[in-house]
Amino acid sequence: MAYREVSDWPDLVLSGKECSQLTKATIADTFTDGTPLQDTVDLLLANPWVIEKIPYINVVDDGDRHISMDNRRLYAFRMAFDDDNYEVPIKRFASKEDYGAADFHRKATSVCGGHSVELRHHHTVAPHTETLNPPRTAKRFLLQKWKEFRSSVGAVLSLQDERQAGAKNMRVVEDGIKHYQRILSTFHCEAVDLKDVRAKDAVRSSFQRWQAESNYSTVDISFDNEWSESGELPLHLGGDAEEVAEVKGLVMDLVNAVARCWEALPLPPHMGGYFSRTLSGKLPGKFAVKDDILHIRGNAAEREKMKKALEDLLPTVLSKQLQVDDGRLRCMIIGKEGVNIKRLRQNTSVDVHVGKDPDTTVRIAGPTADVELVYSRLKAFIQEHRQITKELRLLPHAGRFMWRRLKAIGCEAEAFLRIPREAENLVEIRGNQRQVDHAEELLQEALYLDFSLIKLRISKRLKSDVLLGKNGVHIKDIKGERDVEIQFEDSTEQSSMQDCVVSGQPDDCKSVLDEMLRRLGGYEVVSMPVDSRKAGLIIGKGSAGQTSCFPMFE
């Protein structure tokens, strides 16, 4: 026979706007004439006015409570009406004596204050027998407690197959259910994780001995056949609270002694890699390292030994780190096939971890002395290989000369050199400190030993006719195969003179200068002051005076 529990009822407004409470722990699902309660509920839902044809409910005042003596009718009203819009006619009694104390106490079987009731479905069970569903470990506890008042109840509690309470009449069964509920209100249960099947077998074999030695008469145990989703192997204990607590202590001691399970221990930050390589042989048991967590396996005593060994080891190790923002430098720290890492760790037992973007940290973990040694090696390596950029200002007109030599100097110094477009007299050197210093030394050497600069001030007319020629044919002939640059500096329009700059190899500069002087040897440039008022006479109309005075320019 099944039950349907009904709880948390909304208060029903009766005549006089008063709320009524139930008195029984259980009620039948039919009225005395056999009409099902649900039929009455359906009828009230369809035609609320039918409530006027239903007999009045007897209500007894008990202090500040109003107790209904007609529970099935009250149940039907509460199932049909869930608000205060309906009023139910009642017959009210001022006290239990006015109603009848004997009948009142006979009906008052509720153990929850009249707020919930169990509905008995008589069409599924035999008369005067109620099917119960006690907790899985409550059998011993119920039987032991039932003995204390079995003679005064009259009902029989059977916890074999069907778990039934039966008696000669319904009143006795209801009285027995009332006591059954009171017994379960003092029932205590616990769940213990056995952690291992070894512990399960040990508890099963030891439980009977514990009962015989300590007389745990109310305690019962139950095992789950499968592991839970959280990875536990539960044992369920039930019975008297004090006895359950004592048995739980015995179970925990047995689990610690027998069960071999995993336990997670946190390691210092960033030291998981070091411990994964070095703990073998130092811990007396099975273990595994994942990230910065040490997982140890064994019974309680074995795990305590490993914890003690780890505590003794931790003060002797150290972890240090350096921030290396340059990704290229982090790759150089590793080296091809890890060759540079091996050099850094040489003759030590440390672990070196180089982070990958966005992690820019290089971490060192291991024995304190070894960590300090590798840390100093790493700083020296970074100082040597860190990429820097340095600018070197060249001599005037040396940009083109040096540009042809940048590649050779960069290859020799293993550095990168370039002359920016916007600054022809500036060289950028990029590389580590050693490479930059070497490249700067080679540049200085080329500037002061291999570079020469000569300025020659000549007439603009001579520059065009003697040195340049048509389409620069004369200047190309003068330069020839020599490693020089010939440039003419800008001058003002009023000036008749202009500077010619020859730069390049000293010997080539000298040869070019000799050739230029040779070609200018047939000309003489004379400067004399002329009064501005007579300048026009010298020039003449259409430059006729200039032609007559200087026939060589015709």
Side-chain angles (χ1 to χ4, degrees), residues 157-314:
L157 181 67
S158 175
L159 294 174
Q160 299 301 320
D161 296 329
E162 297 180 352
R163 298 174 180 170
Q164 294 178 345
K168 295 180 179 179
N169 57 65
M170 184 59 62
R171 185 187 64 80
V172 176
V173 171
E174 291 180 352
D175 197 23
I177 292 175
K178 175 181 177 181
H179 287 286
Y180 166 82
Q181 292 174 341
R182 288 176 177 171
I183 291 172
L184 285 184
S185 67
T186 62
F187 175 73
H188 183 73
C189 60
E190 291 273 1
V192 180
D193 182 15
L194 297 177
K195 301 182 184 298
D196 192 358
V197 292
R198 298 181 184 85
K200 180 179 179 180
D201 296 337
V203 170
R204 181 183 284 115
S205 61
S206 301
F207 181 65
Q208 293 183 349
R209 176 171 55 83
W210 294 341
Q211 285 185 314
E213 293 176 354
S214 303
N215 191 27
Y216 298 123
S217 58
T218 66
V219 179
D220 201 358
I221 62 174
S222 175
F223 299 94
D224 284 355
N225 294 327
E226 298 180 355
W227 295 82
S228 67
E229 294 182 358
S230 59
E232 296 182 348
L233 186 62
L235 165 69
H236 302 276
L237 300 169
D240 180 75
E242 293 184 359
E243 293 185 3
V244 168
E246 293 181 13
V247 174
K248 181 180 179 182
L250 295 173
V251 171
M252 294 300 298
D253 293 341
L254 192 59
V255 169
N256 290 333
V258 176
R260 301 179 63 81
C261 57
W262 289 96
E263 183 177 352
L265 303 176
L267 295 173
H270 315 301
M271 299 197 70
Y274 168 74
F275 280 109
S276 64
R277 294 190 305 102
T278 59
L279 282 181
S280 181
K282 296 182 180 180
L283 292 185
K286 187 176 181 180
F287 67 91
V289 178
K290 185 176 181 181
D291 297 329
D292 289 330
I293 303 295
L294 172 65
H295 303 269
I296 58 176
R297 187 175 189 275
N299 57 37
E302 293 171 342
R303 296 198 304 273
E304 285 300 322
K305 289 181 180 179
M306 287 190 277
K307 290 180 185 178
K308 183 63 171 59
L310 181 63
E311 290 177 0
D312 296 339
L313 182 62
L314 286 178

Side-chain angles (χ1 to χ4, degrees), residues 321-342 344 352-363 378 381-383 385-387:
Q321 62 184 32
L322 277 175
Q323 292 293 332
V324 183
D325 298 330
D326 189 348
R328 179 174 174 272
L329 182 56
R330 292 199 301 274
C331 293
M332 292 180 63
I333 292 174
I334 298 174
K336 187 176 181 180
E337 298 180 353
V339 62
N340 290 336
I341 285 285
K342 294 177 182 178
L344 290 172
V352 180
H353 174 76
V354 181
K356 297 181 180 179
D357 289 333
D359 183 8
T360 61
T361 306
V362 179
R363 300 181 180 91
L378 180 60
F381 182 91
I382 292 174
Q383 181 65 27
H385 295 86
R386 185 184 295 277
Q387 295 293 302

Side-chain angles (χ1 to χ4, degrees), residues 60-71:
V60 177
D61 292 344
D62 183 19
D64 58 350
R65 300 186 304 162
H66 308 290
I67 311 300
S68 172
M69 296 293 103
D70 302 298
N71 292 272

Side-chain angles (χ1 to χ4, degrees), residues 395-398 451-455 487 489 501-504 506 509:
L395 296 173
H397 306 284
F451 178 74
S452 178
L453 184 144
I454 301 174
K455 277 189 177 183
Q487 297 172 293
E489 293 185 344
V501 180
V502 181
S503 60
C509 287

Side-chain angles (χ1 to χ4, degrees), residues 31 36-46 75-77 79-80:
F31 288 104
L37 294 183
Q38 188 59 44
D39 290 353
T40 303
V41 172
D42 295 339
L43 182 60
L44 288 170
L45 288 171
Y75 171 87
F77 294 154
M79 292 296 291

Side-chain angles (χ1 to χ4, degrees), residues 466-531:
V466 178
L467 297 183
L468 286 179
K470 188 176 182 179
N471 297 327
V473 63
H474 296 331
I475 202 71
K476 292 178 181 177
D477 184 50
I478 294 172
K479 183 177 178 181
E481 299 297 327
R482 300 180 179 91
D483 185 13
V484 295
E485 289 292 334
I486 303 175
Q487 297 172 293
F488 293 93
E489 293 185 344
D490 295 335
S491 61
T492 61
E493 295 182 0
Q494 294 79 9
S495 176
S496 61
M497 307 298 290
Q498 190 172 12
D499 289 335
C500 176
V501 180
V502 181
S503 60
Q505 287 282 354
D507 293 340
D508 290 341
C509 287
K510 186 175 182 303
S511 299
V512 168
L513 180 62
D514 292 341
E515 178 62 22
M516 292 175 67
L517 292 176
R518 185 186 67 78
R519 296 194 177 205
L520 292 171
Y523 302 92
E524 182 178 356
V525 179
V526 179
S527 298
M528 64 175 61
V530 177
D531 189 343

